[in-house]
Amino acid sequence: MKKPIAWIMDTTGFVTEEFKAHPDVYIVPLTIHFGAEEFIDDGVDLTNDDLYKRIKEATSLPKTSQPSAGKFAELYNKLQEQYECAIAVHASAKLSGTIASSTAGAEMSGFKVYAIDSLALSYGLSGLVERGFELEEQGLKAEEIAQRLEKETTNFRNYILIGNLSQLYKGGRMSGAHYYLGSLLQIKPIVQLTADGELKPIDKVRSHNKAIQYLIKHAQKDHEDYGVRRFQIMHGHTMKEAESLKQEVLKIIPDADILIGDLSSSLAVHAGEETLALLWRKDDL
């Protein structure tokens, strides 16, 4: 007898230890390109330490590429022997072509795959997969789960404090004048994955401390308004700052449940070392 649902995600999401150990979760990695060199984004082929070291030394930023439709088709051909269907949760289509490859791969294989645009990256993607586990345990069928997850993409909240302006500059996302002034004035850009899945600047804050308080203020509001107490802190190779942010959140929300993890490589190559992101789902009651 076939199992009901295989769960698919890509490495733009935060790959938790639970996902790695889960027998029905399949992680499809992106590829990171440093010039002619290619690395599989699996944390083994290129560790986080190596990634940031290479980024720091590079004159231009690395590029990322989604898995091909053929890679997905190969996986789906194998899975249809064991599962009735799959639910695939992928990075925002505005930021990555992964969901298009996944959908094309499903068509090539003839396997039923419910592909969901998370409209997010990092834990915004992973949190939907975890939510899917809960719905499956409640007895919902795959189609119902997929429909619920698509609706719940709007519950994701995120505030991202850019850590390294030089990376934005090298990536062509900031002019030389803006880079100089931003560094001189210690301006901290704050960006956000919007409700339609785009990554956009939403504010600029003077000083690191003010930026941290900016993040916490928004978390506190949703805690007070909606009872949110589960938060995620994603960081770009700066665990000390992530731990500090956690302690600051706990001062305001003492019963908060906070997970700390690394930024996905796809976001790290753009956002930069020392980036901090505070994330949560508005329906976490």
Side-chain angles (χ1 to χ4, degrees), residues 41 123 187 204 207 215 220 230 251 253:
D41 181 20
Y123 207 91
I187 290 174
K204 296 177 182 177
S207 89
L215 270 57
Q220 182 181 11
R230 294 182 64 214
K251 289 178 183 178
I253 310 171

Side-chain angles (χ1 to χ4, degrees), residues 65-276:
S65 61
Q66 71 264 20
S68 68
K71 285 288 185 184
F72 278 108
E74 183 180 347
L75 172 63
Y76 293 150
N77 281 330
K78 294 178 181 177
L79 293 183
Q80 64 184 330
E81 298 175 4
Q82 307 171 51
Y83 296 90
E84 295 175 3
C85 67
I87 295 178
V89 183
H90 293 299
S92 169
K94 296 282 183 69
L95 303 174
S96 171
T98 305
I99 192 169
S101 291
S102 179
T103 301
E107 292 175 354
M108 291 165 64
S109 69
F111 185 45
K112 180 60 180 177
V113 178
Y114 297 94
I116 297 169
D117 184 345
S118 70
L119 302 177
L121 292 169
S122 191
Y123 207 91
L125 188 163
S126 310
L128 279 179
V129 177
E130 291 182 347
R131 176 63 173 148
F133 294 164
E134 295 175 0
L135 296 173
E136 186 177 14
E137 288 177 3
Q138 292 171 18
L140 274 68
K141 301 298 184 183
E143 185 174 5
E144 295 175 289
I145 295 171
Q147 290 172 349
R148 288 279 291 273
L149 294 183
E150 285 177 346
K151 290 179 181 178
E152 291 185 17
T153 57
T154 57
N155 293 337
F156 178 54
R157 297 291 181 270
N158 66 101
Y159 294 87
I160 305 166
L161 172 59
I162 298 297
N164 191 334
L165 297 183
S166 66
Q167 227 165 292
L168 290 179
Y169 173 55
K170 284 197 287 187
R173 291 170 173 78
M174 176 178 281
S175 69
H178 282 126
Y179 169 56
Y180 174 75
L181 287 172
S183 300
L184 183 67
L185 299 175
Q186 294 187 311
I187 290 174
K188 302 292 182 180
I190 295 173
V191 302
Q192 187 175 64
L193 279 156
T194 62
D196 59 357
E198 291 190 88
L199 194 63
K200 293 182 177 179
I202 57 170
D203 216 331
K204 296 177 182 177
V205 183
R206 291 280 296 273
S207 89
H208 180 77
N209 287 338
K210 287 183 179 179
I212 293 298
Q213 293 307 311
Y214 182 101
L215 270 57
I216 293 172
K217 177 185 72 174
H218 289 279
Q220 182 181 11
K221 184 177 188 304
D222 274 7
H223 171 69
E224 293 172 351
D225 291 350
Y226 304 105
V228 177
R229 56 174 296 275
R230 294 182 64 214
F231 300 90
Q232 298 81 40
I233 296 172
M234 298 289 112
H235 68 92
H237 208 231
T238 181
M239 177 60 85
K240 183 178 178 181
E241 290 295 337
E243 289 284 1
S244 176
L245 175 56
K246 176 179 178 178
Q247 295 308 314
E248 291 298 315
V249 173
L250 288 171
K251 289 178 183 178
I252 305 299
I253 310 171
D255 65 338
D257 178 10
I258 303 173
L259 177 147
I260 295 178
D262 295 308
L263 282 176
S264 65
S265 297
S266 301
L267 188 52
V269 298
H270 301 299
E273 195 168 12
E274 300 178 10
T275 290
L276 281 174

